[in-house]
Amino acid sequence: DTYTRHGGYRALDKALGMEPAAIIQAVKDSSLRGRGGAGFPTGMKWSFMAPPDGGPRYLVVNADESEPGTFKDRDIIEVEPHTLLEGIAIGSYAIGCELAFVYIRGEYVEAGRRLRAAIDEAKAAGILGDKSALKREDGNAFKLDVIVFLGAGAYICGEETALIESLEGSRPMPR
């Protein structure tokens, strides 16, 4: 309630009224970059997705944060989890997926608890989940589930393909 009272989820409402391609272009135009070491352009990454073909699509948030002394992801998750969820929802809508994963370090138990609580709050408010009250620009319901995955806590899990291996239940080795 506090998040929405202070303008939270308004950007998601605006995004749902746009075509996904327009969202991707707006993100490109903004020069938004990832918060990892490479600072890769977010809109560019989103534009790499092939057009939807009816198969499942997933968004994976790498919040493993295995660099020593790095706490940016944990701080966002613990202090502003709805900000993260709103960004996940916008990105998911833009790329056409209904299932997102947030991969965090296994020892971040409190961050995982707070993020799961925020997910439950967003579902209860009709923002996330199968019973979402939000509508996409085409008039269909916006459905998104977000799963918090506590990782193995290995440094290598920060590498994107090793992280995917871990999500899939395999040993986290780069592909």
Side-chain angles (χ1 to χ4, degrees):
D1 291 341
T2 301
Y3 184 69
T4 54
R5 269 197 321 273
H6 290 91
Y9 293 109
R10 284 191 195 146
L12 175 59
D13 285 336
K14 180 179 180 180
L16 291 175
M18 300 169 65
E19 290 280 341
I23 297 167
I24 292 171
Q25 189 59 52
V27 173
K28 281 182 175 179
D29 293 346
S30 76
S31 299
L32 179 67
R33 295 182 171 275
R35 295 180 65 150
F40 197 85
T42 304
M44 180 77 67
K45 186 173 278 194
W46 290 4
S47 71
F48 291 158
M49 292 292 293
D53 61 2
R57 300 169 76 94
Y58 308 101
L59 181 124
V60 178
V61 176
N62 181 351
D64 180 63
E65 202 164 71
S66 57
E67 289 288 335
T70 304
F71 302 108
K72 63 181 176 28
D73 300 332
R74 186 178 68 185
D75 284 348
I76 291 169
I77 291 168
E78 288 184 357
V79 178
E80 293 287 340
H82 285 281
T83 302
L84 175 61
L85 291 177
E86 186 170 21
I88 289 170
I90 293 168
S92 294
Y93 173 61
I95 66 167
C97 82
E98 295 183 351
L99 181 58
F101 296 88
V102 180
Y103 189 100
I104 63 176
R105 299 183 64 72
E107 57 265 31
Y108 287 0
V109 176
E110 180 60 20
R113 185 193 67 74
R114 289 184 188 189
L115 186 53
R116 285 187 188 100
I119 291 166
D120 290 344
E121 291 167 357
K123 285 181 178 180
I127 296 165
L128 296 178
D130 286 338
K131 297 178 181 172
S132 173
L134 301 178
K135 299 290 183 204
R136 302 182 318 200
E137 55 81 31
D138 62 8
N140 291 317
F142 173 70
K143 295 179 183 177
L144 176 66
D145 198 10
V146 180
I147 296 172
V148 178
F149 186 93
L150 295 179
Y155 177 78
I156 195 65
C157 291
E159 193 277 332
E160 64 187 31
T161 62
L163 183 149
I164 292 168
E165 289 290 327
S166 180
L167 272 175
E168 293 175 342
S170 299
R171 188 169 176 223
M173 296 300 293
R175 293 179 177 173

